[in-house]
Amino acid sequence: MQSVYLDNNATTMVDPKVKEIMQPYFCEYFGNPNSLHKFGTQTHHAIHEAISELYKGINADDNDDVIITGCATESNNWVLKGIYFDLIFNGNKKHIVTTEVEHPAVGATCSFLESLGVRITRLPINEYGNISAQQVEEAICDDTALVSIMWANNETGLIFPIHEIGQICKKKGVLFHTDAVQAIGKIPVDVQSANVDFLSFSAHKFHGPKGIGGLYIRNGVSLTPLLHGGEHMRGRRSGTLNVPYIIGMGEAMRLAVEYLDFEHVSVRGLRDYLEDELLKIKDVFVVGSRENRVPNTTLISVRGIEGEAMLWDLNKAGIGCSTGSACASEDLEANPVMVAIGADKELAHTAIRISLSRFNTKEEMDYMIAVFKKAVDRLRNISSSY
C-alpha cells in the first residue's frame, strides 16, 4: 500500500538537511550556552548563525527582537497575556480585535482574557472565507489595546490582508500581532512592509523540529514576559536555550526562504492539478480563490459525505489528511470555517483539508485522486442523505 502524507498544515517532515545540521548538538556539542567554559561557548557561533537566519527570513531589523519560544502557541499566549498586563490590567485599554477563525492558541486565549473582563471583538469572515481591512478599521476603538489576526488561515490557506491591516493599526497607534504559522515557507513574510509589532511562528510548520518556535517583537515595543527566571533572550524569555532545535529552526528557515519560488510554482501546480481533478466530481466544492491562498492548501467539501468517513477511507489507503486544525481534531464538530462562511449544517461536516509540501509528487497526487474518487462512490452509495 502506498503512503501519502497530505496534512502538512498540521506538521511537516523534518527536512533531512535540517536533521543533519542538528545532529552534532545532541551529544558532541551539548554544553549549556550560558556556561563560561568551552563546552558552552563552543555553541555560540552556531546559535548566532541560526538566529540570524530567523531575522533574515522575516526581514527583521537588527534592533528588533526575535525570541526563541517553545512553539507558536506559547508565542501567541505571550503576546495576548503580555498585552493584558501591560495595557489592560495596568492601563486604560480594555479591548482586543481578532477574528472568528483564529487558531485555538489565539481564540482560546482571547476567551480566557474575556473571563477577566477584556472586551473581545471577533470579526466574522465573509462568504469567501476572508475579512477586509475595513472591518478591522471599523472595529478599532479608543480603548483598543491590540489587533491579533492570522497571516494565513490554517483551514483554508486563505491569506488575510495583513499589509493593509498593518497600515491601519500604525495610523491609529494600535499594536498589531499576526500568527504567521501558516505563511512562513509558503509566501514571503516581511515584518517591515507589513508594519507588524509581533509575529508568531513555529519551526515544525516549515520542515523544522517540533517543540520550538519564535516571536518577533518590534524594536521599542514592551511586552511583559510570560516566563520569569534567568536573563536568557535579553531577559525577555527565561529558560535554557534548546541548542540543537534552535540550529534546526534556523536551517529550516533558510531553506524555507530558498524554496519560496518552488512553492509558488511547483507545489501550487500540484495543488491546482489535484483540485482540478477533484472538482470534476459532482457536488464537490473548494473554499476560497486560488489567487489569494497559500500554494499548498485546499479545503474541500463533498456533499453527502461526512469528513470523518472520508478520512477513514483515505487513511485505509495510506493517505493522511485532516478535517481541520490538528489541535482540535478530537472534537467531532462541524469545521469552524465552514460554519463561519455560512455553509448549511450538512455541508459544514464534510470539509477535508488537504495540505501539500515540497516533498510531494505528481504520482502521489494521481494516487490521491484515484482513492478519493473511489471513496466518494462508496460513501455516497451508503449515504442516507445523498
Side-chain angles (χ1 to χ4, degrees):
M1 180 175 66
Q2 200 165 342
S3 180
V4 180
Y5 184 72
L6 296 173
D7 197 16
N8 287 279
N9 283 11
T11 196
T12 57
M13 179 186 85
V14 173
D15 190 302
K17 295 177 182 176
V18 172
K19 178 185 175 184
E20 181 180 1
I21 201 170
M22 291 171 64
Q23 197 64 42
Y25 295 90
F26 288 104
C27 298
E28 188 175 352
Y29 305 114
F30 58 86
N32 186 327
N34 281 356
S35 299
L36 298 180
H37 48 64
K38 71 171 186 177
F39 298 96
T41 58
Q42 66 188 355
T43 65
H44 289 182
H45 178 72
I47 292 171
H48 175 78
E49 290 298 312
I51 293 177
S52 293
E53 293 295 343
L54 302 180
Y55 274 76
K56 288 189 287 185
I58 60 174
N59 194 31
D61 187 84
D62 288 344
N63 294 318
D64 299 328
D65 278 336
V66 176
I67 306 300
I68 306 301
T69 63
C71 56
T73 292
E74 179 191 329
S75 300
N76 290 335
N77 271 259
W78 181 9
V79 172
L80 290 160
K81 293 173 182 175
I83 290 299
Y84 172 77
F85 284 108
D86 290 340
L87 298 179
I88 298 175
F89 183 78
N90 291 318
N92 57 2
K93 304 290 187 178
K94 303 295 180 185
H95 181 227
I96 291 174
V97 178
T98 186
T99 76
E100 291 182 348
V101 294
E102 294 298 308
H103 187 276
V106 169
T109 307
C110 283
S111 295
F112 168 72
L113 294 179
E114 207 167 25
S115 73
L116 300 179
V118 181
R119 186 163 54 89
I120 307 292
T121 296
R122 297 175 178 84
L123 301 175
I125 56 175
N126 58 31
E127 60 185 306
Y128 306 107
N130 215 318
I131 64 166
S132 69
Q134 183 180 353
Q135 285 176 274
V136 177
E137 186 165 23
E138 292 172 352
I140 293 174
C141 307
D142 290 340
D143 66 343
T144 301
L146 179 74
V147 171
S148 179
I149 294 176
M150 56 178 27
W151 199 302
N153 185 263
N154 50 299
E155 307 279 0
T156 63
L158 284 166
I159 302 166
F160 287 179
I162 295 302
H163 288 80
E164 293 87 345
I165 294 169
Q167 290 174 353
I168 289 167
C169 291
K170 184 177 181 180
K171 179 180 70 175
K172 290 183 173 287
V174 175
L175 292 172
F176 180 34
H177 165 245
T178 184
D179 176 349
V181 163
Q182 298 294 346
I184 290 177
K186 299 169 187 174
I187 57 175
V189 171
D190 185 331
V191 295
Q192 305 302 332
S193 64
N195 288 306
V196 300
D197 298 293
F198 310 103
L199 179 143
S200 306
F201 59 91
S202 193
H204 77 104
K205 303 292 189 176
F206 51 92
H207 301 289
K210 299 173 183 64
I212 193 161
L215 177 64
Y216 162 83
I217 305 174
R218 182 176 294 281
N219 179 40
V221 177
S222 63
L223 189 68
T224 292
L226 192 64
L227 303 177
H228 294 86
E231 292 300 313
H232 311 86
M233 292 273 108
R234 301 188 189 180
R236 285 192 179 268
R237 200 268 190 183
S238 183
T240 301
L241 297 182
N242 188 343
V243 177
Y245 281 52
I246 292 171
I247 290 165
M249 181 163 62
E251 178 67 1
M253 180 69 83
R254 185 189 71 78
L255 292 169
V257 174
E258 181 180 303
Y259 278 103
L260 278 177
D261 287 342
F262 186 87
E263 292 278 337
H264 181 70
V265 177
S266 298
V267 176
R268 183 183 297 274
L270 287 180
R271 191 274 310 272
D272 291 353
Y273 168 69
L274 177 65
E275 274 188 20
D276 287 341
E277 293 301 311
L278 297 185
L279 285 170
K280 292 176 181 178
I281 304 170
K282 183 181 178 182
D283 288 337
V284 169
F285 312 92
V286 171
V287 178
S289 67
R290 290 178 179 175
E291 294 73 22
N292 195 43
R293 255 189 288 150
V294 291
N296 79 315
T297 304
T298 297
L299 184 65
I300 191 164
S301 288
V302 184
R303 187 171 289 279
I305 298 174
E306 287 199 0
E308 287 76 22
M310 175 60 80
L311 281 190
W312 176 260
D313 276 28
L314 295 176
N315 187 54
K316 285 196 301 181
I319 298 172
C321 296
S322 74
T323 56
S325 170
C327 298
S329 60
E330 294 181 2
D331 299 326
L332 298 182
E333 300 177 353
N335 184 283
V337 173
M338 298 298 293
V339 172
I341 66 174
D344 61 64
K345 184 176 180 181
E346 178 192 339
L347 195 61
H349 281 271
T350 67
I352 295 290
R353 185 183 67 184
I354 304 167
S355 46
L356 285 65
S357 82
R358 62 178 181 256
F359 293 100
N360 287 122
T361 65
K362 169 72 160 46
E363 291 71 25
E364 289 178 335
M365 297 306 101
D366 288 332
Y367 180 66
M368 170 63 169
I369 292 161
V371 171
F372 197 95
K373 289 180 176 179
K374 184 179 178 180
V376 170
D377 290 341
R378 186 187 82 81
L379 292 169
R380 279 182 172 167
N381 281 336
I382 63 174
S383 174
S384 60
S385 62
Y386 188 82

